[in-house]
Amino acid sequence: MRPKFLLRAAAIWLATTLPVSAFDTIASSALVLDQASGTVLLAKEADIPIPPASMSKLMTLNMLFEALQDGRVNLDTEFTVSQKASQKGGSKMFVKQGDRITVENLIRGIIVQSGNDACIVVAENLAGSEADFARIMTARARKLGMNESTFANATGWPDPNHRMSARDLVTLANRLMTQFPEYYGYFAEESFTWANITQKNRNPLLDKGIGADGLKTGHTEEAGYGLVGTARQDDRRVILMISGLNTADERAREAERLMNWAFRQFTQETLLKAGKNVAQAEVWLGAETTVGLEVADDISALIPYSSRDEIKMSVTYEGPIQAPIAKGTELGVLNIEIPDLPSQRYPVYASSDVQYAGLMKRLKVSAQKLQGALR
């Protein structure tokens, strides 16, 4: 019987994130996410349900995009404007009762003009009433894993039962980008004209030259000034949510500051190539005494410039491993230790075949084991 023990092969690794405590924001609620790696760069009260104001219009858009994707409507489908929609206050697209407006124009009216009236038009034409639409949105949010989201209306109008968390809003923003790329371009439109009234996109990041192309602002007296924003630079995309700012200017400054920090303090790098040995495992009664361990896919990580030497990796396997071994057999786990974050784990595989040892070698190994046991 072969002996069993655990072996750890240690090596230097690189960092993938910065501790949340190392950077802060004046926003009362915030979350900053690196999209590709899924690394949360900053989180502050990120799971607390808060009034989202017009940022919750992203969920109204999600429901409309799903209807488009399912074929229930198309961009040229016309929705009818009700009296309730035409009389809604706050930010407006300025629709009129009895108007028939295409879905495409309503999308622009919601995104660019933040039209409360446009949201109600969508809600009533998809679900029959705004109240029913809100219930459907809440149920849909739960299915999408947004468990801190509850909707009372389609607009973000103040209501004690209308709440979303920063994490849910970032999750929703990521969904709109990845699941509906054919409609995402509307978020970058800088202005839209309806009823001879031209309104500029309220997103303050669009004209900052930082690669911003979405998503949605929000403001009420209760919520303060908020933003779900995103920007892309080279191969990286950052999504952020901030809320509770005191003024529109403060919101714009803080959003730009956080974006610049996220892009300038971190870099995405390939840390390990597929097929490269990360360790050697001892083999029992094999033609070779060791077998290489490799990962199946390239492993990349988001690395903070300030922490490159602080993260290590180790490989854990149960061994020595009994021969014969086929190339590609899963043999252990690569553990990536990240300060202040949970470990990341990846399977490792045999990098080559190892045949069973010949008779003479097996006899020699068995004799050595017996001799060691008698000492």
Side-chain angles (χ1 to χ4, degrees):
M1 179 179 295
R2 68 189 177 96
K4 293 184 178 181
F5 57 90
L6 293 180
L7 177 116
R8 291 183 179 272
I12 298 298
W13 199 250
L14 299 177
T16 59
T17 193
L18 191 68
V20 169
S21 59
F23 196 81
D24 203 359
T25 174
I26 60 174
S28 60
S29 181
L31 191 138
V32 182
L33 176 77
D34 179 80
Q35 186 191 50
S37 67
T39 304
V40 174
L41 307 181
L42 181 147
K44 182 177 181 181
E45 303 290 345
D47 295 303
I48 304 300
I50 61 170
S54 288
M55 291 183 288
S56 70
K57 288 183 172 83
L58 293 178
M59 191 60 184
T60 299
L61 288 163
N62 175 81
M63 305 306 290
L64 183 54
F65 291 167
E66 287 184 356
L68 283 162
Q69 198 170 70
D70 293 344
R72 286 174 281 155
V73 299
N74 58 57
L75 291 175
D76 294 324
T77 299
E78 293 183 337
F79 285 175
T80 303
V81 179
S82 69
Q83 180 180 14
K84 176 184 176 181
S86 66
Q87 293 179 347
K88 187 64 177 179
S91 53
K92 297 171 67 70
M93 182 180 170
F94 294 101
V95 300
K96 297 179 181 179
Q97 182 179 356
D99 282 350
R100 296 182 61 81
I101 305 174
T102 65
V103 165
E104 184 172 31
N105 282 329
L106 287 166
I107 291 171
R108 290 186 166 115
I110 294 172
I111 292 175
V112 179
Q113 300 174 333
S114 196
N116 292 328
D117 47 2
C119 288
I120 295 174
V121 172
V122 169
E124 292 177 336
N125 281 267
L126 286 181
S129 72
E130 186 179 12
D132 286 338
F133 187 72
R135 285 192 288 271
I136 294 170
M137 283 203 300
T138 300
R140 185 61 177 145
R142 296 290 188 274
K143 288 184 178 180
L144 293 173
M146 296 186 291
N147 296 321
E148 305 303 330
S149 296
T150 304
F151 303 97
N153 54 64
T155 64
W157 197 263
D159 187 294
N161 296 315
H162 196 88
R163 294 289 185 268
M164 297 185 77
S165 68
R167 195 178 306 276
D168 282 358
L169 278 162
V170 169
T171 297
L172 179 57
N174 186 55
R175 172 176 171 77
L176 295 177
M177 285 182 277
T178 57
Q179 298 300 310
F180 310 106
E182 65 270 43
Y183 308 123
Y184 181 68
Y186 293 114
F187 286 98
E189 291 188 350
E190 296 183 358
S191 65
F192 177 59
T193 301
W194 183 261
N196 295 319
I197 300 172
T198 300
Q199 299 184 60
K200 290 186 62 178
N201 195 315
R202 291 165 167 78
N203 187 341
L205 294 179
L206 292 181
D207 62 357
K208 301 297 184 182
I210 60 173
D213 55 12
L215 296 158
K216 191 74 189 70
T217 59
H219 170 252
T220 64
E221 185 175 347
E222 179 187 18
Y225 288 83
L227 169 69
V228 183
T230 183
R232 181 185 181 94
Q233 294 184 15
D234 297 323
D235 293 329
R236 286 188 60 204
R237 179 177 287 281
V238 172
I239 309 170
L240 65 76
M241 180 277 187
I242 54 175
S243 186
L245 284 305
N246 294 317
T247 66
D249 285 344
E250 187 175 71
R251 172 178 63 191
R253 290 193 300 271
E254 187 65 0
E256 185 178 11
R257 185 179 78 94
L258 289 175
M259 278 294 185
N260 285 332
W261 166 76
F263 281 117
R264 293 171 183 172
Q265 292 301 314
F266 299 85
T267 180
Q268 186 77 24
E269 294 185 9
T270 299
L271 304 179
L272 195 64
K273 287 285 189 180
K276 179 180 179 180
N277 284 350
V278 296
Q280 295 287 326
E282 186 178 351
V283 176
W284 175 248
L285 297 180
E288 306 292 338
T289 58
T290 63
V291 62
L293 301 177
E294 64 184 18
V295 293
D297 302 302
D298 291 353
I299 296 176
S300 64
L302 195 67
I303 305 170
Y305 290 106
S306 60
S307 305
R308 289 193 168 198
D309 298 326
E310 297 179 16
I311 295 177
K312 299 178 181 179
M313 79 172 180
S314 63
V315 171
T316 304
Y317 69 92
E318 186 177 4
I321 299 167
Q322 177 72 58
I325 303 169
K327 176 179 171 62
T329 302
E330 184 175 339
L331 298 178
V333 176
L334 168 68
N335 304 281
I336 302 177
E337 304 295 333
I338 306 172
D340 301 307
L341 287 178
S343 297
Q344 297 181 20
R345 296 164 60 86
Y346 300 88
V348 291
Y349 304 89
S351 62
S352 62
D353 295 327
V354 179
Q355 303 299 324
Y356 201 42
L359 177 61
M360 294 304 296
K361 183 173 182 179
R362 295 201 306 272
L363 291 173
K364 179 179 179 181
V365 171
S366 297
Q368 290 173 340
K369 181 184 177 185
L370 178 62
Q371 187 177 41
L374 294 175
R375 287 177 181 173

